[in-house]
Amino acid sequence: MALPLADVGYDLHTHSAFSDGTTSPTQIAAEAAAVGLLGFALTDHDTINGWGEARAGAAQHGVSFLPGIEITTKHRGHSRHLLGYGMNPAHGELFTALTQVRDARLVRVKEMVRRVSVDYAITLEDVVGTGDVATVGRPHIADALVVKGYFVDRSTAFEQVLHPGSPYYLGTYAIETGEAIRLVRAAEGVSVLAHPAAFRQRAATSVAHLAELAAAGLWGIELAHPENRGDWLPPLTAAAAELGLEVTGSSDYHGDGKPNRLGEHRTGVEVVERLRAIVATPH
Ligand code: AMP
Ligand code: ZN
Ligand code: FE
Ligand code: FE
């Protein structure tokens, strides 16, 4: 089945240095213009702190901006990343829940740093001591290990030290996916299941689980993503059509933190038009 790859369109999944990207929202806007995107969504993990700068940067560089987020959630025990778009920050319930997620992430990073520091000379200061980072995570531990010369890049640090099977690894608090979908809707936004067939998972999201999330109010599914496994996609592509889900494609750009290139997958104009017609804060 053909994927909805769009040549002209939007990249609806990007991370800035407000979470674990390595570039500023302004730099993402400049890059979006350079690669010919009509616009982009900033979807930092569990924070919207980058929205103001991204909106200004988009105006400056002549591309459009969609406010977004990637929420740390879990469904039936499986880690699931949920993209939210167009939420109105005046609805406090979602943002209170996100504060809990970020606070728990800091506690978790502290404990992981304690474990890692038994074998590698890094401190909490090395990991969280700089900048405007709102949401900390394993990528920041990886970056500290790279700065100290233990690994050549973030991906190698993940493979050697930070992967879920590692003795240094610790999970983190996640909102139930159904609850996060409800909170996004209550804030007048829409939600999209991120990278449902990502190769680092043991298996793709099952069709049965996807149907449960659709029943909970999920709006779309990110079928085009650099980490989705092509051989896992056909059942999800068929289920998305059957369940009436919108289909997006995006890069999950993290600056230099991942090989993903901005705009390598794109979402079509009509999908973004339908999204804009229903959310609270269209641009
Ligand atoms: P966390 O939410 O703190 O557990 O960290 C997950 C983040 O690390 C996600 O944004 C992933 O994109 C990133 N990540 C996971 N595995 C890797 C990897 N092998 N190389 C680079 N980044 C990764
Ligand atoms: Zn990330
Ligand atoms: Fe993700
Ligand atoms: Fe992401």
Side-chain angles (χ1 to χ4, degrees):
M1 210 166 289
L3 279 176
L5 295 171
D7 296 332
V8 178
Y10 297 78
D11 192 329
L12 299 184
H13 189 163
T14 73
H15 297 269
S16 77
F18 283 96
S19 65
D20 58 357
T22 61
T23 58
S24 70
T26 307
Q27 286 170 298
I28 298 175
E31 180 80 8
V35 301
L37 287 164
L38 297 176
F40 71 101
L42 184 69
T43 54
D44 277 314
H45 298 279
D46 306 312
T47 183
I48 63 167
N49 283 13
W51 282 9
E53 187 188 325
R55 189 176 279 115
Q60 187 189 331
H61 291 282
V63 293
S64 71
F65 168 67
L66 288 107
I69 194 165
E70 184 172 18
I71 306 175
T72 304
T73 80
K74 64 174 191 298
H75 180 233
R76 298 198 175 275
H78 299 278
S79 169
R80 300 289 181 227
H81 285 180
L82 188 75
L83 297 160
Y85 298 107
M87 300 79 66
N88 180 350
H91 294 273
E93 207 186 351
L94 170 64
F95 300 93
T96 305
L98 290 168
T99 304
Q100 257 182 296
V101 174
R102 292 194 306 271
D103 289 351
R105 279 177 161 280
L106 183 57
V107 173
R108 174 258 201 155
V109 159
K110 282 182 184 169
E111 174 57 18
M112 277 193 72
V113 169
R114 196 193 62 72
R115 294 180 185 189
V116 170
S117 65
V118 172
D119 295 316
Y120 302 89
I122 58 164
T123 67
L124 188 63
E125 269 287 281
D126 299 330
V127 174
V128 302
T130 54
D132 291 328
V133 185
T135 306
V136 292
R138 287 180 289 158
H140 303 98
I141 305 176
D143 291 348
L145 290 164
V146 171
V147 167
K148 295 279 171 177
Y150 290 111
F151 302 105
V152 293
D153 60 16
R154 197 183 264 188
S155 296
T156 312
F158 265 90
E159 280 154 30
Q160 301 292 314
V161 170
L162 300 168
H163 61 90
S166 146
Y168 310 109
Y169 180 81
L170 199 63
T172 193
Y173 166 70
I175 306 175
E176 284 295 329
T177 313
E179 172 68 357
I181 290 169
R182 189 187 71 73
L183 291 170
V184 168
R185 289 191 79 184
E188 301 170 67
V190 296
S191 43
V192 170
L193 184 65
H195 45 68
F199 66 84
R200 286 193 191 89
Q201 307 171 140
R202 222 166 296 137
T205 302
S206 71
V207 166
H209 286 178
L210 182 65
E212 287 182 6
L213 299 179
L218 187 73
W219 183 79
I221 181 167
E222 190 181 52
L223 287 180
H225 181 285
E227 288 150 47
N228 279 343
R229 267 178 63 159
D231 58 330
W232 284 353
L233 282 175
L236 290 169
T237 305
E242 202 159 300
L243 294 165
L245 294 171
E246 295 282 354
V247 172
T248 68
S250 299
S251 72
D252 206 354
Y253 180 68
H254 280 70
D256 296 332
K258 274 190 160 187
N260 311 25
R261 291 168 294 110
L262 189 69
E264 71 172 291
H265 294 290
R266 302 182 182 201
T267 299
V269 175
E270 312 75 35
V271 176
V272 172
E273 278 171 3
R274 287 195 290 274
L275 189 159
R276 285 197 158 123
I278 50 178
V279 301
T281 51
H283 21 253

